[in-house]
Amino acid sequence: MTATGSLLPLISILSDGRFHSGSELGKQLGISRSAIWKTIGKFTDLGLEVHAVRGKGYKLNYPITLLESSAIHSGLSEASKNLIAQLEILDTIDSTNSHAMRLIQEGKLLLQPGQYSIHLAEQQSSGKGRRGRQWVSPFGQNIYLTMVRLIDTGVVATEGISLVVGLAIIRALRELGVPGLGVKWPNDILVGQKKLAGILLEISGDISGICQLTIGAGINVRNQPEAMEQVSQPWTDLYQLTGKGMNRNLLVSRVICHIMSVLEEFECNGLKNFIVEWQDNDVMKDQHVELVTTGSTVPGIARGISETGALLLETSQGIQMVNGGEVSLRKSAINDS
Ligand code: BTN
């Protein structure tokens, strides 16, 4: 059993956000009150905050819905269910993307083209962001989702996929009533200038033939600000945006369905049917921006995307097409002056 695994029964009882006395918890779990107290002491390592009040017991500072595969399945369409070869929920893992890629390497993911294997975790100890950054991933508070899909038409056919995955997440969040969403090239989901979700695509296998596309998505649902202290960029979460808790299982189901649906459309028609939707959601359109690469910063004005999904950056030398990879875009201070 993992370290988190041994905490899970207690987390599960406390997930309702109500007070439970030490003796009640001890009775339910068949352990002593002091063992309960010791176990609760480990919650802070997971980023969970517990209130202990004499005479009342312990409570999490707000309720959490633990991820559950039956609840996720019940929110999926029949078509989506049929495309899932495997869905697993891990208590804790280094990174759901790294985990899925290890399974691929070890020959443990046997997928047909078009099928998905889905990997979720309550916590990531080394969550990966774009450009080698860490994705802070405390327990039970957010979504850490990886979907693997087999592609049999080579890596070129995947150009633009990261943009449509961003749109899929926006569609899912809008359907659930989240306001003010936008996308920043290539695929950051923002509200205002604050990051709500990010996507990390990794590709393995034969770049000209059969390859595996590993799509990782992190969505901030409700974070303890302390757990996010190490995050340098401005961030937000669904709780701040909607003022209420979000059923994470339902959110996962809707995101999975929308990702599957955009990828199906993308496979048939490429990016062309998504360009207008992407531009409509583009928070940087016509803004002064800085394109940051390793070692250089190029100023310009963001002019949307090309038909292949490249960023169109207007610079003093004219419009340049910028392809994805290790680059990122930030708003320039000129806009505010
Ligand atoms: C970004 O920097 O914007 C990309 C963040 C991607 C985070 C997700 S969480 C699930 C999956 N596993 C990882 O290690 N990273 C991605």
Side-chain angles (χ1 to χ4, degrees), residues 97-98 101 128-131 145-149 151 155 157-166 169 186-188 198-204 212-218 259 262-263 266 324-326:
N97 269 28
S98 304
M101 290 179 80
K128 297 188 290 187
R130 286 183 66 238
R131 310 187 73 222
L145 162 72
T146 293
M147 293 171 66
V148 181
R149 183 184 159 112
I151 306 251
V155 95
T158 65
E159 255 181 25
I161 282 191
S162 80
L163 280 75
V164 305
V165 172
I169 294 179
N187 54 23
D188 282 354
I199 296 157
L200 178 68
L201 243 62
E202 301 185 82
I203 296 177
S204 49
Q212 292 86 12
L213 178 66
T214 300
I215 304 164
I259 291 182
V262 295
L263 291 190
F266 182 88
E326 295 304 284

Side-chain angles (χ1 to χ4, degrees), residues 94-98 124 126-131 133 135 137 143-146 187-188 195 197-200 216-218 233:
D94 53 351
S95 141
T96 51
N97 269 28
S98 304
Q124 298 184 119
S126 306
K128 297 188 290 187
R130 286 183 66 238
R131 310 187 73 222
R133 282 197 282 243
W135 188 257
S137 312
I143 302 297
Y144 317 118
L145 162 72
T146 293
N187 54 23
D188 282 354
K195 186 145 164 175
I199 296 157
L200 178 68
Q233 53 190 158

Side-chain angles (χ1 to χ4, degrees), residues 11-27:
I11 296 173
S12 168
I13 301 175
L14 291 174
S15 66
D16 62 7
R18 301 214 177 107
F19 273 110
H20 296 265
S21 71
S23 57
E24 173 206 329
L25 294 169
K27 232 185 256 162

Side-chain angles (χ1 to χ4, degrees), residues 65-82 84 87 89 175 247-257:
T65 338
L66 292 174
L67 295 174
E68 235 183 85
S69 75
S70 59
I72 294 172
H73 268 103
S74 64
L76 293 172
S77 64
E78 283 309 309
S80 306
K81 279 184 202 164
N82 292 336
I84 299 178
L87 185 152
I89 299 173
E175 191 182 283
N247 178 332
R248 291 189 306 141
N249 290 306
L250 177 64
L251 174 58
V252 167
S253 313
R254 300 322 301 147
V255 168
I256 291 173
C257 284

